[in-house]
């Protein structure tokens, strides 16, 4: 088959189909295992926080970020764990640079084989390429994505309620979720107002 031919010659169709299947298999494997921290706002926020720690103390912006952003704002479980450690170090006024965060994980018992994937992910985050001046920008993106994900959660809860709750409780259930969503919207706007 030539590069300009859309149809393989009669003697090549089986070989072409096999080679295309092999390419499809490679792409499927790559998509399942591929994770690129350098394009993930959650990873970039964590990276930026750790690299912002080189300014000689806890910055006001890092305090603000770790006071408003919560572990639940992270979709990735490993990133949630990393954020909890970083936020704890920030709140305690301790160094939260990459070496200090790694040491905090080791002190907590994450040095064994069971946490090897977490340490590998931490190394990927450390080298994701964000600098400390971009922490606020990435925090805004993480909060925005979390806010959007919350609507999926609410939608699932409303569907579940429609199937399971008594009729007299349905509207109150909806109002409760509406208030929670309004609180998340205000939190996002409060963060943005402080920029």
């Amino acid at each position: 088959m030539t590069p300009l031919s859309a149809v393989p010659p009669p003697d090549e169709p089986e070989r072409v189909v096999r080679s295309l299947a092999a390419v499809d298999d490679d792409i499927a494997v790559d998509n399942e295992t591929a994770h690129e921290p350098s394009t993930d706002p959650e990873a970039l926020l964590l990276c930026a926080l750790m690299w912002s720690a080189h300014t000689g103390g806890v910055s006001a912006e890092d305090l603000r970020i770790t006071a408003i952003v919560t572990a639940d704002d992270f979709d990735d479980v490993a990133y949630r764990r990393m954020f909890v450690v970083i936020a704890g170090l920030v709140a305690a006024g301790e160094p939260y640079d990459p070496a200090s965060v790694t040491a905090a994980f080791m002190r907590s018992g994450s040095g064994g084989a069971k946490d090897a994937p977490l340490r590998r992910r931490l190394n990927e985050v450390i080298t994701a390429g964000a600098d400390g001046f971009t922490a606020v920008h990435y925090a805004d993106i993480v909060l925005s994505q979390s806010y959007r994900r919350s609507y999926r959660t609410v939608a699932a809860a409303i569907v579940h309620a429609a199937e399971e709750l008594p009729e007299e409780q349905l509207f109150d259930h909806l109002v409760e979720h509406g208030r929670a969503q309004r609180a998340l919207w205000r939190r996002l706007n409060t963060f943005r107002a402080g920029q």
Side-chain angles (χ1 to χ4, degrees):
M1 174 156 73
T2 68
L4 299 176
S5 172
V7 180
D11 59 336
E12 289 189 294
E14 187 176 299
R15 183 179 60 81
V16 170
V17 169
R18 274 187 310 219
S19 66
L20 288 175
V23 168
D24 287 343
D25 290 346
D26 290 342
I27 291 171
V29 169
D30 287 345
N31 286 339
E32 290 174 3
T33 61
H35 177 77
E36 190 58 47
S38 66
T39 61
D40 185 338
E42 292 182 4
L44 291 168
L45 170 58
L46 297 169
C47 180
L49 284 170
M50 286 186 280
W51 290 112
S52 71
H54 294 290
T55 59
V58 177
S59 77
E61 287 301 326
D62 292 351
L63 280 170
R64 189 170 78 86
I65 290 167
T66 56
I68 293 176
V69 176
T70 69
D72 291 336
D73 291 318
F74 290 83
D75 195 36
D76 187 292
V77 175
Y79 295 162
R80 286 180 189 182
R81 286 183 67 186
M82 290 177 210
F83 180 77
V84 167
V85 169
I86 293 168
L89 292 170
V90 168
E94 296 179 19
Y96 50 100
D97 57 275
S100 299
V101 172
T102 302
F105 272 111
M106 296 307 216
R107 284 192 308 271
S108 72
S110 295
K114 74 173 179 57
D115 283 324
L118 175 66
R119 289 191 314 276
R120 192 170 33 258
R121 295 287 300 279
L122 177 59
N123 286 331
E124 291 172 353
V125 166
I126 290 168
T127 60
D131 62 53
F133 300 109
T134 58
V136 172
H137 172 70
Y138 292 121
D140 181 87
I141 296 171
V142 168
L143 287 170
S144 176
Q145 289 178 342
S146 175
Y147 177 64
R148 286 188 172 277
R149 275 193 313 274
S150 72
Y151 276 91
R152 284 191 224 116
T153 303
V154 168
I158 290 171
V159 168
H160 178 74
E163 296 169 354
E164 302 289 331
L165 286 181
E167 287 178 352
E168 62 272 6
Q169 294 177 13
L170 288 173
F171 185 74
D172 290 338
H173 181 77
L174 180 66
V175 169
E176 181 182 323
H177 282 294
R179 287 185 180 133
Q181 290 307 111
R182 184 182 304 141
L184 290 174
W185 175 243
R186 286 183 179 146
R187 179 179 72 132
L188 177 60
N189 285 319
T190 298
F191 182 79
R192 288 178 173 163
Q195 292 181 22

